[in-house]
Amino acid sequence: MTGNENAVRREVSGDVRIGGGETAPVELRGAEDVYVSAESVSGRLTVHDPEYVFTDVPTGAEPADSADARTVLTGDLDDGYVDGVDGDVHVTGAEDVFVEHGAAETLSTIGAEQVFHDDAAAPTRSPEDYEVSVSGWRQTRDVRDPRGGVSVRGAKNELTATDARHDLTLYVAGWGNEIRIEGQAIDVTVYFVGRDNRVSVGPYVTATTGAESGYDNDLESDPLPPEALVEQTEAEAYQGAFFGRHKVTYQEPASGKEWCPNCGESADAVITRKQRDAFFLFGKPIRTYDSGDGAFECEHCTPVAIGSVELSPEERKRILG
């Protein structure tokens, strides 16, 4: 209970969003889950008697006194969203509290059952500045070619990003969110603040976890299909051999291979290079003089997967002076 008899008390129900119109210090009391967004509290954030705190802000600061609260929000609350307060904020009696990177000047917790904080890495930009943002409960959104960053805040949200062509930072705060990213030759760095979130990416996306302030979060990558490593199919090779004797090479998926015979790595995609010396008529081999399998390759050792290693003129100039 706050000891400030002059505090304004507001009885609310359902979800409550604190957006800057309340006189600080503000106390949010009795919400189920509370989400504190980036750059939302200009002063100190103090969390009293929560179950779990998932935070991207270091804890241990001197707590503020809840008796100083001038606005108290309470009632039959569901979830609370702190989006903007000019001053201190108190969160009292919540189940789980999710605090995003840069959310408050300082953070202190009192009586928390457990606090999850991973300082392995921090996003280079504030999640508040990301191009795509989803916030709330059971929201669904589809986006195409997002750039810079994607932020998902809340619970049970679903976001699908397709045709991504630029490296991304994905910031997930909350629980039970599902995010799918499909793209071509991009890197995705994921920051988890919460629990039971699932991120899956397509086979041409490289995804890593920057930090995980929580538990039971999954980051899954689709296996690369063998067809992605095929530079030229058998049919394409025959198209160039219309009439006469020709030696052609092509590639085929090597089925049943869980590791690459060439480099020895465990692999999702293994192909074999084949060759045929034959007499062709209208692009079809009529007589074969010699045929055979060449080397095996996988996504770890094939030039197609690795990409060109030739230096550009700009790179040569920079390296060689």
Side-chain angles (χ1 to χ4, degrees):
M1 297 292 291
T2 178
N4 188 348
E5 297 300 326
N6 296 320
V8 175
R9 291 170 173 78
R10 288 173 47 193
E11 294 283 331
V12 292
S13 61
D15 290 348
V16 58
R17 193 172 294 272
I18 303 175
E22 301 79 11
T23 303
V26 178
E27 181 181 2
L28 178 60
R29 186 187 302 164
E32 292 182 5
D33 294 334
V34 176
Y35 304 89
V36 187
S37 64
E39 303 179 20
S40 63
V41 180
S42 66
R44 298 170 293 176
L45 173 63
T46 306
V47 182
H48 307 263
D49 301 318
E51 186 171 352
Y52 290 157
V53 176
F54 305 89
T55 174
D56 208 0
V57 176
T59 61
E62 184 71 22
D65 189 350
S66 61
D68 295 334
R70 297 185 60 189
T71 303
V72 178
L73 303 177
T74 186
D76 185 15
L77 300 180
D78 291 331
D79 292 338
Y81 298 86
V82 181
D83 290 336
V85 175
D86 186 14
D88 295 343
V89 171
H90 299 270
V91 176
T92 303
E95 293 184 9
D96 292 344
V97 180
F98 306 88
V99 183
E100 294 187 10
H101 178 75
E105 186 180 275
T106 63
L107 170 64
S108 58
T109 61
I110 301 172
E113 182 174 325
Q114 193 164 359
V115 176
F116 298 89
H117 172 62
D118 182 2
D119 60 357
T124 56
R125 292 171 53 204
S126 169
E128 199 68 18
D129 298 330
Y130 291 172
E131 180 190 50
V132 177
S133 178
V134 174
S135 179
W137 164 262
R138 291 191 181 277
Q139 302 295 311
T140 301
R141 186 171 178 186
D142 295 330
V143 297
R144 179 179 177 275
D145 188 23
R147 304 187 182 191
V150 175
S151 171
V152 178
R153 175 190 307 123
K156 294 291 185 178
N157 297 298
E158 295 183 7
L159 182 141
T160 301
T162 57
D163 196 27
R165 289 169 287 175
H166 301 82
D167 292 347
L168 289 173
T169 298
L170 173 60
Y171 199 93
V172 187
W175 63 273
N177 298 290
E178 296 266 349
I179 298 95
R180 171 70 178 178
I181 297 179
E182 298 177 357
Q184 294 287 335
I186 64 168
D187 293 325
V188 175
T189 304
V190 184
Y191 293 87
F192 291 108
V193 182
R195 59 179 175 82
D196 301 308
N197 299 290
R198 181 176 179 269
V199 176
S200 64
V201 302
Y204 307 104
V205 177
T206 301
T208 56
T209 299
E212 181 184 13
S213 298
Y215 62 91
D216 289 344
N217 298 292
D218 293 325
L219 176 56
E220 303 172 354
S221 300
D222 290 354
L224 188 72
E227 291 77 12
L229 305 184
V230 174
E231 297 176 79
Q232 182 170 249
T233 66
E234 183 177 8
E236 290 170 342
Y238 291 172
Q239 288 178 359
F242 185 74
F243 178 78
R245 183 172 178 176
H246 299 275
K247 293 181 180 180
V248 298
T249 60
Y250 55 92
Q251 303 86 43
E252 289 182 347
S255 60
K257 297 289 186 182
E258 296 182 355
W259 57 277
C260 178
N262 180 42
C263 67
E265 292 281 345
S266 176
D268 294 317
V270 181
I271 62 171
T272 180
R273 292 185 176 271
K274 295 191 173 184
Q275 57 187 7
R276 171 171 284 186
D277 180 4
F279 186 87
F280 289 83
L281 181 63
F282 300 119
K284 294 183 179 180
I286 303 301
R287 180 180 178 183
T288 298
Y289 302 103
D290 186 28
S291 65
D293 293 344
F296 287 98
E297 293 178 357
C298 71
E299 69 264 32
H300 303 294
C301 61
T302 178
V304 177
I306 297 172
S308 175
V309 297
E310 183 179 356
L311 295 177
S312 67
E314 292 78 10
E315 290 172 326
R316 291 194 198 98
K317 184 178 180 180
R318 186 170 61 250
I319 295 172
L320 301 176

